[in-house]
Structures are given as structure tokens and as C-alpha cells.
Amino acid sequence: MSLYKILLGYLMGQITSVFGLLIFAFAITMHFLVIDFHLLEMHHSAYHRIGRWILTGAFLAGWFLSTQVAIDPPVLAMLVSFVAGGAVLMIIQDEFSESVDNSYAAS
């Protein structure tokens, strides 16, 4: 998970337009909320004690790395695709979870 957050921090550091940064920040914030909620459910005390700080540090390390290391555009495009796929999989997992009834009929 730390490597994933480093990657997200790196990608955020590569965005040059303000509008693109705002869109990316909003999307990643929503993605982080889902991921961090699941981590909190699975590892409550460890996540509160140290996990959230490690993941925050990983994101900041990725952003710092983006200021120091350049990645070729084709590789960068593959990394963005990986992140997009991860976000879609998390949404699918959350929406179609058997532990929570997410159907409109049950509402």
C-alpha cells in the first residue's frame, strides 16, 4: 500500500495545470477515503497508531520524488493506467460487496 501511495504522490507532482491538479486531487481524495476506511476497518488500532502516518509519509515521499526524478512519458502513461485500474477495482469491490447491501430495492 505504501508503494501505491508513493506512486500517487509522484503522479500528483507531475501535474502542471491548476485545473488538472484540482481534478486529480479530488479524485484521489475520494479514492483515499475508500481505501483508508477499509484499512481502518481491518487494522483499527495499528492504522490509528502508525499506519496512517506511514501512508501519509509515503504520499509525500512520492511527491518529493516527482521533483527529483523524471520518468519517460510512455512509462508515466502506464502508471496512470495502473492507478485508474486500481481506483475502478476499489469502487467495484465497495459497490458489489456481499457484506453490505447496496441495492436500491433494499433502501
Side-chain angles (χ1 to χ4, degrees):
M1 184 56 65
S2 293
L3 291 175
Y4 185 64
K5 294 250 179 160
I6 288 171
L7 174 60
L8 289 171
Y10 183 89
L11 293 175
M12 189 166 200
Q14 293 296 306
I15 299 173
T16 56
S17 74
V18 174
F19 182 71
L21 185 63
L22 290 174
I23 296 295
F24 187 82
F26 177 75
I28 292 306
T29 299
M30 296 297 112
H31 184 55
F32 281 174
L33 286 174
V34 172
I35 290 173
D36 291 351
F37 181 74
H38 286 292
L39 288 172
L40 181 62
E41 282 183 333
M42 292 186 312
H43 312 287
H44 183 73
S45 62
Y47 180 78
H48 267 293
R49 190 175 60 251
I50 188 108
R52 61 186 172 161
W53 301 112
I54 291 172
L55 295 177
T56 301
F59 185 81
L60 293 174
W63 172 80
F64 178 74
L65 193 63
S66 76
T67 65
Q68 305 299 314
V69 177
I71 294 179
D72 292 332
V75 175
L76 198 60
M78 289 189 322
L79 294 174
V80 170
S81 299
F82 175 76
V83 168
V88 168
L89 287 175
M90 285 301 299
I91 291 167
I92 289 171
Q93 178 185 354
D94 191 50
E95 287 297 319
F96 297 112
S97 172
E98 290 183 11
S99 63
V100 178
D101 187 11
N102 291 328
S103 69
Y104 288 112
S107 300

